[in-house]
């Protein structure tokens, strides 16, 4: 098959990310003797600089790691709701949804601590060595990609009239960053340089300095600036100015955590995902709902996957959250999956149909039943790029990075949140806070109800695949609610199509025509949905489009290269050959390796 690029193969190290500078920086760390975890951390901090419309240090990140010869683990960098983030506080302000932007939507930022915990426990390089690439691009500039300027233009009025600290950075001389023009963030460079100076003053030793940096983020000059700014009212999507609930105490008590992944085995592949505080188990439920035979890329294939996605997403709405009582074992059981599979008929469903695991009655948010989330919504931008309203409301803003090294260490990570259109830039720090609390409901008693200390259910969903118990493939994509749809299509393309040069055809699977459905409530404000709606790349073909429409799907035909921003790396445990591929959609993602 002709692909946009080759699947890279080698034996030294492979990187794939959503921006070429992050991939190049990670590869430089590998070349300097670092391992996959050093490289991924360097790439993450570069992504904060070069994709500021998609992520930032004040955001969040889940990651799955598979140390060579070890057991896969999830490292959770999704911060919880602050202690003051009660439903009563928000409804007392006259709100029925958490705003999509502004301080009220900010959880405890989790990304920074997660990356430093990874570096301390599994990396080998110093914090200075890893941060150097990001500091250089922030201080000296990097060529801005087109979407940075387009995003800033979309929120120009908000920046100029309300979020003036953001205007100072992104509207210098009144102009948004032009494509290819050098974009600098001297405040962010200064933040990291001061952090290094203070951390290194704590004493010798890599671990000592990394832990000192984590304390500075929580309680030092960075934590003080974050807490002080979160307490200041700012305009949000409600049309009013609100202060946040995040405090210094919330920052001081948070630490990223390790946990076991959730897994499911299909057709010889075992897939590891974050737990139901993410949407990761949706991927596993979609696999469990597949029939025994699949005729790849036929109208029946697309229809079956679309309908299975709707059922899995309906269960996400009814059952997923940061709680101990999520009936995950039942949701993934053969008996439950068989019952649910029986709901897939010849015609497209336009209803939200959660199941009844263990006989329990599902409960949905009032907004879903009342129609707030039941109306049609325009299809979001493909390729995981922001859809931005004038008030700054966004969806699908995320990055991704995968790395495998010559020792066999693997990592898949999906950094997100804290993007430039989420909150005002914090003066002196050079970055804003995130907005992940918008994914929690203000109805009490739901698995994903807003609650102090609980993680809002995130859409972020990195993936790791094993064969015969051995980790072989790390992959993922930006895209909000689309992440576990696009990633599933990628895995099925890898599994159901032939190899390339004796290995996995990663690039061919990424390049294959993709699609997504919005026939469930969005995780992003204002929580809309499009019952029966499915967006397909035009390359899927006229015959398949017509067949889907005949079955009752409301098909939106998007551009030929508009769906997904997948990244992937792999390792053949027998030969030690490493592979990598990256998405060509958006002209931004790149793989590197040798």
């Amino acid at each position: 098959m002709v692909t946009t690029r080759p699947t890279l193969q080698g034996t030294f190290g492979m990187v794939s990310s959503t921006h070429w500078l992050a991939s190049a920086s990670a590869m430089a760390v590998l070349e300097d003797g670092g391992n996959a975890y050093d490289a991924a951390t360097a790439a993450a901090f570069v992504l904060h600089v070069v994709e500021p419309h998609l992520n930032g240090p004040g955001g969040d990140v889940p990651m799955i790691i598979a140390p060579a010869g070890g057991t896969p683990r999830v490292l959770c960098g999704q911060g919880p709701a602050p202690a003051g983030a009660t439903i009563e506080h928000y409804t007392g302000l006259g709100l029925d949804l958490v705003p999509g932007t502004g301080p009220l939507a900010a959880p405890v930022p989790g990304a920074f601590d997660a990356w430093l915990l990874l570096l301390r426990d599994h990396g080998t390089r110093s914090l200075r060595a890893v941060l150097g690439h990001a500091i250089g691009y922030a201080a000296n500039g990097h060529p801005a990609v087109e979407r940075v300027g387009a995003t800033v233009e979309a929120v120009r009025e908000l920046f100029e009239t309300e979020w003036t600290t953001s205007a100072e950075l992104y509207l210098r001389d009144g102009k948004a960053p032009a494509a290819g023009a050098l974009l600098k963030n001297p405040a962010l460079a200064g933040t990291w340089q001061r952090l290094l100076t203070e951390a290194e003053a704590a004493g010798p030793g890599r671990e000592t300095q990394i832990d000192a940096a984590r304390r500075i983020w929580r309680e030092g000059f960075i934590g003080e600036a974050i807490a002080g700014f979160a307490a200041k009212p700012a305009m949000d999507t409600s049309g009013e100015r609100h202060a946040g609930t995040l405090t210094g105490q919330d920052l001081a008590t948070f630490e990223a955590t390790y946990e076991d992944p959730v897994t499911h085995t299909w057709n010889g592949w075992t897939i590891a995902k974050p737990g139901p505080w993410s949407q990761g188990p949706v991927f596993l439920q979609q696999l469990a709902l597949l029939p025994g035979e699949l005729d790849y890329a036929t109208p029946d294939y697309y229809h079956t996957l679309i309908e299975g996605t709707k059922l899995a997403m309906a269960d996400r709405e009814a059952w997923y959250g940061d709680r101990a009582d999520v009936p995950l074992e039942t949701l993934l059981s053969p008996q439950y999956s068989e019952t649910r599979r029986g709901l897939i008929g010849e015609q497209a469903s336009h209803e939200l149909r959660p199941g009844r695991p263990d006989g329990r009655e599902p409960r949905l948010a009032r907004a879903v039943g009342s129609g707030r989330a039941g109306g049609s919504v325009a299809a979001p931008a493909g390729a995981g790029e922001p859809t931005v309203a004038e008030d700054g409301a966004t969806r699908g803003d995320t990055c991704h990075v995968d790395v495998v090294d010559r020792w066999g260490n693997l990592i898949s990570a999906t950094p997100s949140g804290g993007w430039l259109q989420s909150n005002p830039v914090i003066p002196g720090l050079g970055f804003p806070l995130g907005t992940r609390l918008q994914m929690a409901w203000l109805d009490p008693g739901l698995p994903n109800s807003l609650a102090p200390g609980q993680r809002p259910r995130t859409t972020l969903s990195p993936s790791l695949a094993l064969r015969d118990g051995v980790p072989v493939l790390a992959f993922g994509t930006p895209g909000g609610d689309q992440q576990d749809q696009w990633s599933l299509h990628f895995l099925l393309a890898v599994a159901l199509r032939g190899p390339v040069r004796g290995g996995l055809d990663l690039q061919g699977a990424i390049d294959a025509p993709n699609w997504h459905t919005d026939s469930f409530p969005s995780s992003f404000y204002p929580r809309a949905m499009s019952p029966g709606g499915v967006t397909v790349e035009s390359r899927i073909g006229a015959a398949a489009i017509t067949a889907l429409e005949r079955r009752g799907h409301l098909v939106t035909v998007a551009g030929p290269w508009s769906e997904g921003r997948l990244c992937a790396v792999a390792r053949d445990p027998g030969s030690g050959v490493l592979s990598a591929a990256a998405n060509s959609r958006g002209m931004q993602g790149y793989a590197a390796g040798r």
Side-chain angles (χ1 to χ4, degrees), residues 1 11 71-72 78 156 159 202 207 214 252 272 336 404 419 484 494 497 523 536 540 553 572 581:
M1 173 184 174
T11 57
T71 302
Q78 174 56 65
R156 171 184 285 273
F159 279 17
E207 292 82 1
R214 296 171 68 203
Y336 181 83
V404 60
W419 44 72
D484 282 304
V494 167
R497 291 152 35 109
S523 297
V536 303
I540 200 173
H553 296 278
D572 185 318

Side-chain angles (χ1 to χ4, degrees), residues 27 37 64 76 177 195 264 282 398 402 407 467 469 487 512 537 579:
M27 198 64 209
Y37 307 117
I64 303 181
C76 176
L195 175 81
H264 180 76
V282 161
T398 306
D402 300 309
W407 300 287
R467 297 283 286 182
S487 291
E537 290 183 332
S579 304

Side-chain angles (χ1 to χ4, degrees), residues 11-173:
T11 57
F12 180 81
M14 291 283 166
V15 180
S16 179
S17 86
T18 48
H19 195 289
W20 65 87
L21 291 179
S23 296
S25 298
M27 198 64 209
V29 171
L30 292 178
E31 295 283 2
D32 194 41
N35 67 15
Y37 307 117
D38 300 313
T41 304
F45 281 93
V46 170
L47 287 171
H48 295 160
V49 177
V50 301
E51 291 193 317
H53 59 309
L54 303 175
N55 79 137
D60 9 68
V61 60
M63 57 185 90
I64 303 181
I65 64 172
T71 302
R73 296 280 280 166
V74 170
L75 206 175
C76 176
Q78 174 56 65
T86 64
I87 290 175
E88 293 75 20
H89 177 73
Y90 286 72
T91 56
L93 296 172
L95 301 171
D96 58 359
L97 291 174
V98 177
T101 61
L104 268 183
V108 180
F112 180 88
D113 195 66
W115 285 115
L116 264 64
L117 187 63
L118 175 74
L119 183 66
R120 186 197 71 182
D121 294 348
H122 299 279
T124 65
R125 315 304 284 175
S126 70
L127 183 59
R128 179 173 291 276
V130 166
L131 276 179
H133 301 274
I135 291 173
Y137 286 125
N140 303 319
H142 60 93
V145 295
E146 289 84 349
R147 289 299 303 177
V148 173
T151 302
V152 173
E153 284 293 350
V155 291
R156 171 184 285 273
E157 183 177 353
L158 177 68
F159 279 17
E160 290 179 334
T161 61
E162 297 284 346
W163 296 5
T164 54
T165 55
S166 298
E168 291 171 6
L169 175 57
Y170 291 109
L171 284 170
R172 290 175 182 160
D173 301 320

